[in-house]
Every structure is written in C-alpha cells, then in structure tokens.
Amino acid sequence: MAEAAEENTARLSPEDEKLSIGANLAYGLQHVLTMYGGIVAVPLIIGQASGLTPADVGLLVTASLFAGGLATILQTMGIPFFGSRLPLVQGVSFSGVATMIAITGHGGIQAVFGAVIAASLIGLIITPVFSRVTRFFPPIVTGIVITTIGLTLMPVAAGWAMGGNRSAPDFGSQANILLAAATLMIVLLLSKLGSAAISRLSILLAIIIGTGIAYAAGIADFSRVMNGPLVALPQIFHFGYPVFDTAAIISMCIVIMVTLVETSADILAVGEIVGTKVDARRLGDGLRADMLSSILAPVVGSFTQSAFAQNVGLVAVTGIKSRFVVATGGLFLVALGLLPIVGRIVAAVPSSVLGGAGLVLFGTVAASGIRTLAKVDYENNMNLIIVATSIGFGMIPIASPGFYEHFPAWVITIFHSGISSAALMAITLNLLFNHLTTGNSDQQSVFVAGTERLIHYQDIAGLHDGDYFLNGKLYDANGSEVPLIPAEAH
C-alpha cells in the first residue's frame, strides 16, 4: 500500500499538489493581494466614465471581485470542456478598458454589457479553431495592441490626478496634483526600498498610504461607506438589461481576439513554469473557461475576464505551483464580492491617489507592449512601418477626440477607441505585408532601408568568387588588386 501511495505521488502533476489548509489560505491571499489593484481599477475607470454614483461604482467593484473569483475557480478546478486546471488567476481584463470607455460615451454601460456578452459568445464559438487564427496575432500585433492600451489609458490617469470630476471647482488644483505626485513617489520608493513582497504590492500599498494622507488632509470622504448593507448577493442586471449595438459588438470582438491571444500566452507560460505540457485540448478548455466567464460576468455587473499575467509571474517567483492555492484565492475573491462595503471603501479612494498609482499601472501596461515589440524582427521587412502606422493611427482619437465626430455613429464607436483603431490597422497591415506577399515589390521602401545596411544586387554583380575588400581596396582570389571605377565616372 505504501509503495502504491508513493507511486501515485510520483505520478501527481505539480499543479495537482495539495498543501495544508494554512498554506492554501496564506498563498491564496498573496495571489489576491498581487492582483487586487488591477481587478478593482477597471470597474473604477468604467464606473467613472459612465457617470455612475459612488454607490454604483462600489457595486461594479464588488461584482468584478465576485465574477473574478468564480472565473478563477472554474479555470483552476475545471468542469468538462471548461477550465485548464492550471494555477491561473482570472479577473477583469485591462485590454477592453479603452474600448468600453468609448462605448459608454455612445450607448451607456448597458451597451458595454451587451457588447461583452455578444463578443464573448462569438469568442466561445471560434475557440475550437482559434489555434489556426493565432498566426494572425503574432507579437507585432499583440505588442502594438498592448502598447496602445497603456498609452490610451494615460489621459485617464491624468484626469484622476487632477481630481477626477472635471466639473468640480478643485479640478486640476495644486492639492490634487501634489497628492497624486506623493502617491507616485510612494510607489517608486516602495519598489526600490521594500522587500520583494512589498515591491510587488507597491501600488496597492501606495494607494492605502496615499488615501491615509488624503484623509489626514481632509480630502478623502468616507462618510457614505456605511450607507448600505455590509453583506449582499450580487444583483442580477442591477444596471439594466444589456443593449446589443452592432458597432459596439464589432469593436468588442477585437478586444476578445486580443484577450484570447493573451490568455493563450498565459496558459502556455504557466504550463512551462509548472512543468506540465499544455496540449491543444487543455488550451481550448482554458480559453472556453475565459469566454464562458466573460459571457456570464455582465449578468452580475462585471466585464470581460482573462488570466492575470502578474500572477503567472508570482507562480514563478514563489515556486508554489498548486492550482488549489489559486482556487483558494478565488474563494477569497468571491467572499470580497459578497461584501458591498468593500466596494464602497474602494470607491471612496480619492481620484488623485488613483491618478498617481495609475500613472505607473498604465505605464506598466505600455512598457509590457514595448517589451513584446522588442522581440519583433525588423530586418528586411515592413514591420517598422506596421508598428509606426498602427500606433500612430491608434493615437488619433487620443490626440484629437473629435476627429471622427462628423462620421456615422458606427464609425465613431469602432474608431473612437485607440485600441480598436490600432488593432484593426495592425491586423490589416500584418496581413497585407507579412501574409499576402503576392505583388510585394523587391524595391522596399525607405522604412526598410532605414532598418539596416542594404546593398543593391547590381552593386555586387561584377564581383567574382573569392573577391574580398581590405583597407578600402578590392582584391581577387589571387590577391591581385582590382581597379575601382570612381563614382563620378558612372
């Protein structure tokens, strides 16, 4: 019996290891703390962009915690055809923020929920064939999209730093901006001076410390935190029934494509970290869990769900590979989602504090995209112009928000979002230059020529085998100098 038990233990995959209850609770809480700042940031952004009251913003926050918890449990524990059964934390995806902000400006938050449901359903349907589609989303496309996500969120961080409410008399005041600057400095100091654990939690800790400073200065108002129930189940369609707008759905489909690519990368990465082979079936199960969670999330008032990359990094750093640890973290998220008071506390955090932290948080997203673009090959191809054009196109609605105001509503909905604009351009140009090569000129543009040293074929056509240059002179294979015709003689 003992030998059989040892054999079963040896066969046990690293992600199936079961730790003690205390270890599960401790490491599960660590996962929650690592991603907490990210999971609450999205509902805060969308809630404020939609003009919701602080109480309703609080409900968005708790709904996102609840939905993220259930999605995490589904991904880690799994049911037939759904869930990778790997240590992956799920939560609201940052990739759709800019697009959802654009949708709220034309259809309200109900249109956001409708677009998320419809686009996620489409994502679920195409999951079986997505492995064939991923070749159209190479690092050059995902890098452009991720970079643009970070850049398009910078105006949000700036608006928060100025106070959040543009109609408020203190919007842009020195007090608000100095509070944002203080929060930013705290993030940087904690990242530099703290331990590894403190460094990873620097944004969350800076928000807490910054809020304390604001409260001491009389800027933070927590008087309404106790106005409402302490414990409550998420309300079904509290913000109204979803509205299904065609343009909004098309725009959100781009986000879903990006989400599928990002989640695929996270599943493959965590599989490599854990030491477990991820085959097509396991990848498909993980993606289906992503899409099912995203379909159901708007029912309780949340948005698209995806794997959190920072928690993949945490698995690598800690070496704790058990999926049961992450499932415990999912239970923590569900519990927090049943506490509306948590959402009201988060909603009461001064916007200036969020602005200081958001500068780093959103900048990190952009930096991640730049890091992805650094892996792209730019030699003898048109990748440089693809990056330049796509990011430039994505920046148009950020630099000039009224650029498309005279176009039809569906055009505005799709292209008013920098991420949608950049993604469409990146996908189109990548197909045009890197896949549909028929008709490509052998005389490449100045953008290619600028990437590295090039020599035309006619310049070397007169050379023979064995010819070589030495000290500016040309010699043949026998060592005899070959006369060079001066340029003016041509």
Side-chain angles (χ1 to χ4, degrees):
M1 290 293 291
E3 291 179 0
E6 289 179 4
E7 185 178 349
N8 288 333
T9 303
R11 293 177 183 174
L12 200 66
S13 297
E15 71 273 16
D16 293 327
E17 181 185 3
K18 294 183 179 179
L19 307 181
S20 66
I21 294 177
N24 277 331
L25 292 173
Y27 291 122
L29 180 60
Q30 181 174 243
H31 272 286
V32 172
L33 293 175
T34 299
M35 55 86 73
Y36 189 84
I39 198 172
V40 302
V42 176
L44 282 173
I45 298 170
I46 303 302
Q48 291 192 6
S50 303
L52 299 180
T53 64
D56 278 343
V57 173
L59 288 178
L60 275 184
V61 171
T62 50
S64 294
L65 292 169
F66 183 79
L70 292 182
T72 299
I73 294 171
L74 175 62
Q75 187 71 269
T76 54
M77 302 307 294
I79 59 176
F81 304 108
F82 295 92
S84 64
R85 292 178 173 84
L86 288 170
L88 284 166
V89 177
Q90 301 285 115
V92 182
S93 172
F94 253 109
S95 60
V97 172
T99 298
M100 289 188 283
I101 290 175
I103 293 173
T104 59
H106 302 279
I109 199 165
Q110 292 89 353
V112 173
F113 291 143
V116 170
I117 292 172
S120 300
L121 180 59
I122 293 171
L124 180 63
I125 293 171
I126 69 169
T127 296
V129 295
F130 188 73
S131 58
R132 300 177 184 176
V133 181
T134 51
R135 68 191 182 97
F136 298 118
F137 292 85
I140 188 171
V141 173
T142 56
I144 287 169
V145 172
I146 297 170
T147 301
T148 308
I149 290 170
L151 295 177
T152 54
L153 289 174
M154 283 304 168
V156 175
W160 279 356
M162 298 174 74
N165 185 2
R166 294 184 178 273
S167 60
D170 66 340
F171 182 76
S173 67
Q174 289 187 10
N176 283 334
I177 294 176
L178 287 174
L179 180 58
T183 305
L184 173 60
M185 291 301 298
I186 293 169
V187 172
L188 298 177
L189 287 173
L190 290 177
S191 299
K192 178 176 176 60
L193 303 178
S195 64
I198 292 176
S199 180
R200 285 193 295 270
L201 299 174
S202 58
I203 290 179
L204 179 60
L205 292 175
I207 291 175
I208 295 172
I209 297 171
T211 302
I213 295 172
Y215 183 78
I219 299 176
D221 179 16
F222 290 90
S223 60
R224 289 177 289 184
V225 167
M226 300 307 296
N227 294 345
L230 299 180
V231 181
L233 290 172
Q235 300 179 37
I236 306 299
F237 294 125
H238 169 78
F239 301 96
Y241 290 102
V243 174
F244 298 96
D245 178 79
T246 303
I249 292 171
I250 293 173
S251 184
M252 189 56 66
C253 279
I254 297 172
V255 174
I256 290 299
M257 294 298 104
V258 175
T259 300
L260 286 171
V261 172
E262 290 179 343
T263 299
S264 296
D266 288 332
I267 291 174
L268 293 171
V270 82
E272 185 175 342
I273 291 169
V274 169
T276 294
K277 182 180 178 181
V278 176
D279 54 19
R281 179 175 179 178
R282 194 165 203 170
L283 178 61
D285 288 349
L287 295 177
R288 279 189 287 273
D290 232 24
M291 292 299 99
L292 180 61
S293 301
S294 297
I295 293 170
L296 298 178
V299 175
V300 296
S302 189
F303 312 101
T304 52
Q305 305 289 306
S306 70
F308 268 53
Q310 58 263 50
N311 292 83
V312 174
L314 184 61
V315 172
V317 170
T318 62
I320 305 299
K321 304 173 181 179
S322 172
R323 60 191 174 100
F324 300 104
V325 164
V326 177
T328 304
L331 291 176
F332 274 119
L333 290 173
V334 170
L336 291 172
L338 298 176
L339 301 172
I341 188 174
V342 173
R344 293 194 294 271
I345 291 173
V346 173
V349 173
S351 296
S352 298
V353 172
L354 295 174
L359 189 66
V360 179
L361 187 62
F362 303 154
T364 301
V365 177
S368 298
I370 293 171
R371 183 171 58 187
T372 300
L373 289 175
K375 302 174 183 177
V376 175
D377 179 18
Y378 296 97
E379 296 184 358
N380 295 329
N381 55 47
M382 296 293 287
N383 285 341
L384 186 65
I385 195 172
I386 293 174
V387 174
T389 306
S390 301
I391 293 181
F393 192 61
M395 289 298 99
I396 288 177
I398 306 305
S400 181
F403 191 85
Y404 299 106
E405 63 182 9
H406 298 299
F407 285 78
W410 66 269
V411 174
I412 296 174
T413 302
I414 294 174
F415 292 105
H416 186 66
S417 162
I419 180 165
S420 297
S421 301
L424 283 172
M425 183 62 75
I427 293 168
T428 302
L429 293 182
N430 181 59
L431 287 172
L432 179 63
F433 291 122
N434 294 332
H435 290 273
L436 305 177
T437 56
T438 302
N440 281 5
S441 172
D442 58 355
Q443 300 295 320
Q444 299 288 1
S445 77
V446 66
F447 295 96
V448 174
T451 60
E452 64 167 72
R453 176 173 173 256
L454 297 175
I455 299 176
H456 289 287
Y457 176 78
Q458 57 266 30
D459 293 333
I460 62 171
L463 297 179
H464 297 165
D465 286 343
D467 289 352
Y468 62 95
F469 275 93
L470 180 65
N471 297 326
K473 295 181 179 181
L474 177 64
Y475 297 89
D476 62 18
N478 298 320
S480 300
E481 183 178 349
V482 178
L484 297 178
I485 301 174
E488 58 269 16
H490 282 281

